[in-house]
């Protein structure tokens, strides 16, 4: 038998990595191997004592001699083999001549070393026979090697799948000794589905002789965590090839398994966390990714509410507590998350010394067991929380701070009660990695929310805060910003009172999203109001607006940064617009569109349809004229003006959207506001991809008893008769209190028309919520206000009209112009 080896204090035998070469030489026995080194020419450069024992030649006589001189016959080289010099290694049996002339057949192994290493070109070795160097079958060394093999758990089963031998690792993995397992089946040793699977694999090996491989996840009795095993099952054959048993080898792959699992969880979390720019959704994604993969319960508490768009304060932690956090997300392996002390959206308070407080104070994760003094002290001050933790058997707590870009955001809280394993260091590292990813996403969401709130505030400030009072139509409106990543856009609407009790309805859409689109929308809305104030016809107004957009497209040219200018102007400035003017006296409505969806109309009989308008390009394209269309609308008709975000969607085409819009408008509703809400509910998803502007108007009509018209002869003497007719009409309307002012206005306007304009001259009074006086003539010259000097005989008439009325103005028509003045009537009590 070989001499026993004494193991040192470090658990290594002498001759380990730290041993001296002399000790190693003594251990291995240099003379038990014949070692010879050769140069490239085959001359001997080294000859040890083992080589002298083998061939009888002393080292002094062999140095410098050719090794070929020792051959009893040439080395056999099989056909097709390359030359020995080209091989990195060669092994075989050679015939050598002993010093005394005997012929020896010796197995050798020759290593060919790479040139330039400074070592001999060839190392030739051959093991010398030594007493008891090859143990016989059944030798104790064989038994020891099997029983004490440290590389894996091994067991040998007979052809009836009954255990015969098991090594030490198998005993440890099953918590049973070999004697306790001998004669038992795998399924009897391991009362688990894995045992039955292993037994089926062993039966398959007995039947086919093919080795089998599988992976199992088991927790041995008395262990606190699950193990992952890589199991190989192979046949044991006798010299005749007959299967006499089965060998089962199990390698513990737990560390590799958990490492792969953690990497998979990190990859999955990276895919799931931060999918939206929503704070609450991102926090919920963190809890969803970690339960049950990491914890049995997880929650995210933030220092500010998700809709708080202000910057976090510089000092967020009170010096001595308590710390108040808002819970924004939670998840549990138990339905309903009964472990939670507070629900999502509620505030929770953490005193100084508690895990969340200390985690945020230090900026480091905190792991605590249920028996830790710090956790016990915290629960002593919070009996309700302590009772909840005890009732669910929470035994391990992990708290991780959420911080990004130097800003403390909150804390993530993880509990284990169903999982028997306590949180370990690798769980802490994993939770920290996931929390860091989530913190960046939450911070991005907060920044986006803050910037988007600024843009939405700007956009809403550019839209009408409340619709103006006017008598022509009853109106209701809705504006809905886009959800998700789209950001604010450039949709707008407006209601503009015009002269003669008319009203203009406008809906527009600027291409693109963001602050630039909102700012462009504000400029276009201002331009439309300005152009509408001078009573331009619908088609002419769009032509002027088209010129404005074309100028906006070239505003950035000539700047230093042309590329940035182009990106902010030419690439983004473009708009569509629908402009309509309704006259309650004639009940006619004029429409003109620039690349915009046509309006929908619901007539009093309930039929809903679209108004066909001439095809026209969007604003800013230029080159084609805009045309207007005039339609008569019965009193009580319903008009709907909208942007394309209402009728277009990813899951349907625009025709389907228009059909749903017509159906929604045609159904009766208690009010226009209710109708607007129903349209948005029927047509839009919860988070629309584009901005939506909707303007709904129900038409009114002024009856013949509310309008009085006179043809005025072009004779100065007709002014007096006209004043009398006006006074009589005002008396019939019961407007005696405005007779004096109206007489002055009529006198001034009619006199100016007779003196300075061309026939025909027509006077019209419109009585509704206000009193409108209109004088039309065939001239095209518009009057202008001017300041009369002290001794001037004229020039005070229009100034007087402007002082006595609410507003006044002039508008052009195909046959001349109309000068009008409007007085506000005091409503009757």
């Amino acid at each position: 038998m070989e001499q026993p080896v004494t193991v040192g204090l470090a658990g290594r035998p002498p001759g380990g990595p730290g041993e001296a070469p002399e000790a190693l030489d003594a251990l291995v026995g240099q003379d038990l191997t014949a070692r010879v080194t050769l140069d490239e020419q085959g001359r001997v450069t080294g000859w040890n004592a083992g080589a002298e024992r083998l061939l009888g030649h002393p080292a002094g006589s062999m140095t410098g001699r050719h090794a070929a001189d020792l051959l009893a016959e040439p080395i056999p080289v099989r056909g097709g083999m390359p030359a020995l010099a080209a091989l990195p290694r060669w092994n075989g049996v050679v015939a050598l001549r002993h010093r005394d002339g005997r012929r020896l057949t010796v197995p050798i192994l020759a290593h060919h070393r790479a040139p330039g290493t400074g070592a001999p070109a060839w190392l030739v070795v051959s093991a010398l026979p030594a007493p008891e160097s090859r143990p016989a079958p059944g030798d104790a060394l064989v038994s020891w090697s099997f029983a004490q093999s440290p590389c894996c758990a091994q067991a040998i089963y007979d052809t009836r799948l009954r255990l015969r031998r098991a090594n030490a690792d198998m005993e440890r993995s099953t918590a049973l000794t070999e004697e306790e397992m001998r004669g038992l089946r795998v399924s009897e040793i391991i009362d688990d589905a894995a045992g039955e699977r292993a037994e089926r694999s062993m039966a398959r090996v007995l039947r086919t002789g093919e080795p089998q491989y599988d992976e199992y996840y088991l927790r041995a009795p008395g262990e606190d965590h699950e193990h992952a095993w890589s199991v190989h099952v192979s046949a044991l054959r006798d010299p005749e090839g007959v299967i006499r048993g089965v060998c089962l080898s199990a390698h513990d792959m737990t560390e590799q398994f958990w490492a792969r699992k953690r990497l998979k969880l990190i990859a999955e979390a990276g895919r799931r966390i931060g999918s939206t720019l929503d704070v609450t959704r991102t926090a919920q994604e963190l809890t969803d990714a970690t339960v049950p993969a990491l914890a049995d319960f997880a929650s995210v508490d933030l220092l500010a509410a998700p809709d708080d768009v202000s910057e976090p304060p510089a000092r967020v932690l009170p010096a001595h507590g308590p710390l108040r956090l808002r819970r924004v997300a939670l998840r549990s392996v138990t339905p309903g998350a009964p472990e939670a002390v507070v629900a999502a959206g509620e505030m929770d308070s953490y005193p100084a010394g508690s895990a969340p407080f200390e985690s945020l104070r230090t900026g480091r994760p905190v792991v605590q067991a249920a028996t830790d003094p710090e956790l016990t002290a915290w629960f002593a001050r919070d009996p309700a929380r302590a009772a909840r933790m005890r009732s669910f058997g929470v035994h391990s707590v992990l708290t991780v701070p959420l911080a990004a870009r130097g800003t403390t955001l909150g804390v993530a809280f993880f509990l284990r009660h169903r999982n028997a394993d306590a949180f370990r260091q690798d769980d802490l590292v994993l939770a920290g990695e996931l929390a860091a990813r989530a913190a960046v996403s939450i911070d991005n969401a907060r920044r986006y929310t803050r910037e988007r709130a600024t843009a939405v505030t700007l956009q809403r400030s550019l839209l009408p805060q409340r619709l103006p009072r006017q008598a022509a139509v009853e109106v209701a409106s809705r504006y809905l910003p886009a959800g998700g990543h789209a950001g604010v856009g450039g949709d707008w609407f407006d209601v503009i009172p015009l002269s003669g009790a008319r009203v203009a309805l406008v809906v527009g859409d600027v291409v693109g999203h963001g602050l630039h689109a909102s700012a462009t929308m504000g400029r276009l809305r201002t331009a439309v109001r300005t152009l509408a104030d001078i009573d331009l016809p619908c088609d002419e107004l769009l032509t002027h607006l088209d010129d404005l957009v074309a100028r906006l497209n070239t505003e950035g040219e000539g700047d230093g940064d042309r590329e940035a200018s182009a990106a902010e102007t030419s690439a983004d400035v473009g708009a569509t617009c629908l402009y309509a003017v309704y006259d309650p006296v004639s009940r006619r409505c004029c429409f003109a569109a620039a690349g915009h969806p046509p309006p929908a109309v619901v007539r009093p009989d309930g039929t809903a349809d679209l108004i066909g308008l001439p095809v026209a390009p969007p604003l800013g394209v230029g080159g084609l004229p805009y045309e207007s269309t005039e339609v008569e609308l019965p009193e009580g008709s319903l008009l709907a003006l909208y942007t394309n975000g209402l009728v277009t969607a990813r899951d349907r085409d625009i025709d389907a959207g228009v059909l749903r819009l017509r159906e929604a408008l045609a159904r009766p509703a208690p009010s226009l506001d209710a109708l607007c809400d129903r349209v948005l509910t029927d047509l839009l998803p919860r988070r629309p991809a584009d901005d939506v502007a909707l303007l709904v108007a129900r038409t009114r009509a002024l009856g013949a008893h509310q309008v009085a018209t006179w043809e005025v002869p072009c004779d100065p003497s007709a002014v007096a008769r006209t004043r009398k007719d006006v006074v009589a009409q005002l008396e019939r309307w019961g407007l005696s209190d405005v007779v004096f002012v109206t007489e002055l206005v009529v006198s001034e306007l009619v006199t100016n028309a007779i003196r300075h304009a061309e026939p025909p001259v027509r006077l019209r009074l419109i009585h509704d919520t206000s009193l409108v006086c209109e004088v039309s003539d065939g001239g095209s010259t518009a009057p202008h206000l001017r300041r009369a000097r002290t001794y001037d005989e004229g020039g005070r008439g229009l100034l007087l009209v402007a002082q006595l009325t609410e507003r006044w103005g002039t508008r052009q028509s195909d046959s001349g112009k109309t000068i009008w003045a409007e007085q506000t009537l005091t409503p009757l009590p």
Side-chain angles (χ1 to χ4, degrees), residues 509-531:
D509 184 1
V510 175
V511 175
H513 294 88
L515 289 175
H516 181 66
S518 296
T520 302
M521 175 269 287
R523 300 172 76 173
L524 295 184
R525 177 173 177 255
T526 301
V528 169
R529 293 188 70 88
T530 302
L531 296 172

Side-chain angles (χ1 to χ4, degrees), residues 252-591:
D252 190 347
M253 308 293 290
T254 304
E255 291 302 323
Q256 297 89 328
F257 168 74
W258 285 111
R260 290 196 304 268
K261 193 170 182 178
R262 286 191 293 270
L263 289 175
K264 183 179 179 181
L265 179 57
I266 291 175
E268 179 68 12
R271 184 183 63 83
R272 295 175 60 181
I273 298 175
S275 62
T276 66
L277 288 173
D278 182 270
V279 174
T280 302
R281 178 75 176 273
T282 302
Q284 188 62 51
E285 288 168 346
L286 173 61
T287 60
D288 292 345
T290 53
V291 175
L294 176 65
D296 298 322
F297 173 86
S299 66
V300 175
D301 297 355
L302 298 182
L303 288 160
D307 55 354
D308 184 3
V309 299
S310 60
E311 287 284 357
R315 183 177 178 84
V316 296
L317 290 179
H320 306 290
L323 173 65
R324 291 183 59 79
L325 300 174
R326 184 179 298 276
R327 179 151 297 171
V328 296
L330 56 86
R331 186 176 177 85
S332 170
V333 294
T334 308
E339 307 98 321
V341 180
V342 297
E346 296 181 358
M347 300 294 295
D348 203 354
S349 180
Y350 299 102
S354 63
F357 188 96
E358 294 303 315
S359 182
L360 288 181
R361 184 182 65 82
T362 62
R364 293 190 298 271
V366 175
V367 179
Q368 294 176 324
T371 56
D372 285 353
E374 296 84 359
L375 197 61
T376 304
W378 174 24
F379 285 172
R381 288 177 286 175
D382 195 343
R385 193 184 304 272
R388 192 71 59 91
M389 297 298 101
R390 283 195 301 269
S391 65
F392 284 92
V394 174
H395 61 85
S396 190
V397 177
L398 172 59
T399 309
V400 184
L402 297 173
R405 303 181 180 95
T407 301
T408 301
L409 303 174
V411 66
F413 206 54
F414 304 100
L415 305 177
R416 280 184 178 175
H417 53 79
R418 182 177 298 180
N419 187 337
D421 297 340
F423 287 114
R424 298 180 297 175
Q425 180 64 30
D426 52 356
D427 296 319
L428 186 148
V429 174
L430 175 60
E433 174 68 20
L434 299 179
R437 290 172 181 246
V440 172
S441 297
I442 290 174
D443 188 54
N444 289 340
R446 287 179 56 84
R447 290 170 181 265
Y448 168 78
T449 301
R450 182 169 60 250
E451 293 175 3
R452 186 174 185 274
T454 302
V456 169
T457 301
L458 169 63
Q459 187 179 30
R460 290 191 180 277
S461 69
L462 297 175
L463 293 172
Q465 303 304 304
R466 60 177 179 271
L467 299 179
R469 293 181 56 191
Q470 42 76 40
V473 292
E474 176 191 1
V475 293
S477 62
R478 291 292 183 272
Y479 169 74
L480 192 63
H485 300 274
V488 296
D491 292 18
W492 92 92
F493 64 90
D494 211 344
V495 177
I496 308 171
L498 301 178
S499 62
R502 298 170 305 140
V503 65
L505 306 174
V506 191
V507 169
D509 184 1
V510 175
V511 175
H513 294 88
L515 289 175
H516 181 66
S518 296
T520 302
M521 175 269 287
R523 300 172 76 173
L524 295 184
R525 177 173 177 255
T526 301
V528 169
R529 293 188 70 88
T530 302
L531 296 172
D533 193 55
I534 59 177
D535 269 313
L536 287 180
C538 297
D539 51 353
E540 190 174 342
L541 182 142
L542 289 185
T543 300
H544 284 281
L545 205 61
D546 179 65
D547 294 338
L548 172 62
V549 174
R551 287 195 298 273
L552 292 178
N553 283 334
T554 59
E555 270 188 353
E557 295 182 3
D559 293 346
D561 189 350
R562 290 182 178 272
E563 292 184 2
S565 173
E568 291 295 321
T569 56
S570 300
D572 293 333
V573 176
T576 65
C577 183
L578 175 64
Y579 184 75
V581 175
Y582 174 69
D583 187 346
V585 177
S586 66
R587 299 190 300 278
R588 299 190 68 81
C589 188
C590 178
F591 299 93

